[in-house]
Amino acid sequence: MSINPVSNSSTNSSNSANLVQAINTNSSASKDNKYSNDEGMKKSTKLMIGASALAAAVIGGVLLHKGISMRKAAKEAEKLAKDLKFEQERMPRLFNGVATEEEIATKLEEIGKLSPAEQKKAYENLGQVCGYIHDLKYCQEFGEDKVILRRGMKKLPDDVKKEMAEGNWIKAGELYKAHVQELPETFKAKNIGSTIEESISNVFGAETKVKPHTYDLSKEGEEIISQRNYGGYYAVSATKEGILYGDVKGTSSLGSSLVNGHGFFVLKSTKRLPIKDGAVILHGVNHEGKYVTLLRMPDTKTDTAGNPLINTLGFISKCKKPTPAQQDLLSLAQHPEKFDYSLIDKLTLKTDKMPTGAENMDYDLALSVIQSMAKG
């Protein structure tokens, strides 16, 4: 293998070449890219990538970047090699019962021809495709009209149906995902109007004390999360553009502060401020150095033991200091008489577990509720 050394130094060049040569010659797994002769192994497991050989290839690429030492390059290459080997072993298990053995074997062979960096992205994409295939399986089992498709899709595209009918599930999943990605990432909740005033009237009525907020949005966080139980705890992320569909960004920065549906969260130092009637504010700086405030209060629903479930409304700052809206929320602990349970309850209404079931949730409406309560 020939590589370009980081430095013009003959010593570095020699060491680089020797390291790569040593990895290639000392590895007994250098032929792992080929099919095994073991007839007892499944075809999909005979595509294993030789970790050492792959590490050598990665090192050759990493060394092209100035300032990367051989030791660091080797460590990064080794980690990537192990990650890719793990993914290639995991994929047949992940797709067991989802796609045929021949399909996954062909896909893995196709991915194996890519560069290591491209392989990593390809495996990430393939893992996501598996989830999309599950959607299609549900459509096949229960009927297309009985399944809520992603990002508000009304019906499955014809090319997806064609691949499903022919049993090409990975291809069908890839096509379905591609169609979904072309749809908008956000939507407006059912009762949200074209202006803040209209939204307030639609949700709280014309005589409500809630007024349009006057916050400078450049100083506020990127999202506001509502988390409520509907046969399980489900979070809804509201942004300035609208509510995020569940499949857009995965776990959000604010959402990652919530460990589970019961509202426990990971902050460097957590402070608890009681308001009244069981409502509390949990606040602190999260692992990303952003200030988080979580308003938690008893839900109107109870669990099987009769204990109230938890309703959570979360805000996040862009830095380690609270935003003006978060400061207003925190002030309710000093003025509990200003806290209006009914406003939060109605704002976070949930009529089903999907994001579309949050019919009143909206970024500007949430800010308007917080500011109106703080002003009294």
Side-chain angles (χ1 to χ4, degrees), residues 192-359:
I192 299 306
S194 57
T195 64
I196 302 179
E197 290 85 354
E198 185 179 349
S199 298
I200 291 173
S201 179
N202 290 345
V203 175
F204 301 113
E207 303 302 318
T208 181
K209 67 179 183 181
V210 178
K211 305 300 178 186
H213 74 82
T214 57
Y215 295 123
D216 179 352
L217 295 187
S218 67
K219 298 179 180 180
E220 297 299 325
E222 298 300 325
E223 60 180 331
I224 298 171
I225 278 186
S226 164
Q227 186 181 61
R228 204 160 183 174
N229 189 289
Y230 199 96
Y233 281 92
Y234 297 92
V236 176
S237 296
T239 70
K240 299 169 187 177
E241 292 74 32
I243 293 178
L244 286 174
Y245 283 103
D247 66 317
V248 175
K249 295 184 178 179
T251 303
S252 65
S253 177
L254 177 53
S256 64
S257 296
L258 297 169
V259 173
N260 59 42
H262 298 290
F264 297 106
F265 58 105
V266 179
L267 301 179
K268 291 182 177 179
S269 60
T270 304
K271 297 180 181 178
R272 178 187 178 96
L273 293 175
I275 304 178
K276 67 175 183 179
D277 301 328
V280 299
I281 301 171
L282 304 177
H283 62 111
V285 177
N286 72 2
H287 66 286
E288 293 184 336
K290 297 179 179 180
Y291 206 91
V292 172
T293 51
L294 299 175
L295 169 62
R296 295 182 63 210
M297 66 184 206
D299 203 338
T300 53
K301 298 179 180 179
T302 60
D303 60 21
T304 54
N307 299 312
L309 298 169
I310 300 298
N311 184 4
T312 303
L313 185 65
F315 299 79
I316 190 169
S317 176
K318 296 176 181 177
C319 60
K320 63 181 180 180
K321 295 182 179 180
T323 70
Q326 288 178 303
Q327 291 173 350
D328 280 346
L329 175 59
L330 292 168
S331 74
L332 296 176
Q334 281 73 50
H335 301 280
E337 73 281 358
K338 295 182 179 181
F339 179 70
D340 191 331
Y341 179 101
S342 66
L343 294 180
I344 304 299
D345 181 59
K346 189 165 288 189
L347 170 70
T348 59
L349 171 72
K350 201 155 182 58
T351 57
D352 63 55
K353 65 181 183 180
M354 303 301 292
T356 50
E359 299 183 353

Side-chain angles (χ1 to χ4, degrees), residues 18-40:
N18 289 340
L19 175 58
V20 175
Q21 183 179 12
I23 292 174
N24 279 331
T25 56
N26 293 337
S27 172
S28 62
S30 61
K31 58 182 180 180
D32 283 353
N33 277 324
K34 298 180 180 180
Y35 286 108
S36 168
N37 291 324
D38 183 0
E39 296 298 330

Side-chain angles (χ1 to χ4, degrees), residues 38-102:
D38 183 0
E39 296 298 330
M41 293 177 64
K42 289 187 176 182
K43 182 180 179 182
S44 58
T45 64
K46 298 174 184 178
L47 295 160
M48 307 304 295
I49 297 176
S52 296
L54 179 57
V58 176
I59 289 174
V62 171
L63 287 177
L64 294 176
H65 300 282
K66 287 190 175 183
I68 302 297
S69 67
M70 278 299 303
R71 180 178 295 180
K72 183 176 181 180
K75 183 176 289 189
E76 291 180 355
E78 183 180 2
K79 181 181 184 304
L80 180 56
K82 288 180 179 179
D83 289 346
L84 295 183
K85 191 168 186 287
F86 170 80
E87 288 296 336
Q88 196 160 35
E89 292 175 323
R90 183 176 76 96
M91 286 301 159
R93 299 193 300 270
L94 183 65
F95 280 85
N96 183 34
V98 178
T100 65
E101 183 180 333
E102 289 72 23

Side-chain angles (χ1 to χ4, degrees), residues 87-204:
E87 288 296 336
Q88 196 160 35
E89 292 175 323
R90 183 176 76 96
M91 286 301 159
R93 299 193 300 270
L94 183 65
F95 280 85
N96 183 34
V98 178
T100 65
E101 183 180 333
E102 289 72 23
E103 281 185 278
I104 187 61
T106 299
K107 195 65 184 178
L108 293 182
E109 187 173 23
E110 177 186 310
I111 293 175
K113 296 176 182 178
L114 303 174
S115 70
E118 291 173 326
Q119 286 183 44
K120 183 175 181 180
K121 292 181 180 179
Y123 282 128
E124 291 175 355
N125 178 70
L126 187 58
Q128 294 170 3
V129 166
C130 188
Y132 283 81
I133 295 176
H134 282 296
D135 289 3
L136 301 181
K137 294 279 188 177
Y138 290 137
C139 289
Q140 184 185 62
E141 182 177 358
F142 301 108
E144 184 180 337
D145 59 331
K146 298 295 190 300
V147 177
I148 299 177
L149 301 176
R150 303 196 183 204
R151 297 203 200 177
M153 183 180 285
K154 301 302 180 184
K155 65 177 183 178
L156 291 177
D158 291 337
D159 56 350
V160 175
K161 293 181 181 179
K162 177 178 180 296
E163 298 299 335
M164 289 172 60
E166 295 178 359
N168 301 324
W169 288 102
I170 292 181
K171 181 63 176 178
E174 290 174 334
L175 288 172
Y176 178 39
K177 181 184 177 185
H179 284 295
V180 169
Q181 298 303 310
E182 293 176 355
L183 298 174
E185 293 189 347
T186 62
F187 68 94
K188 289 291 185 181
K190 179 180 178 180
N191 296 322
I192 299 306
S194 57
T195 64
I196 302 179
E197 290 85 354
E198 185 179 349
S199 298
I200 291 173
S201 179
N202 290 345
V203 175
F204 301 113

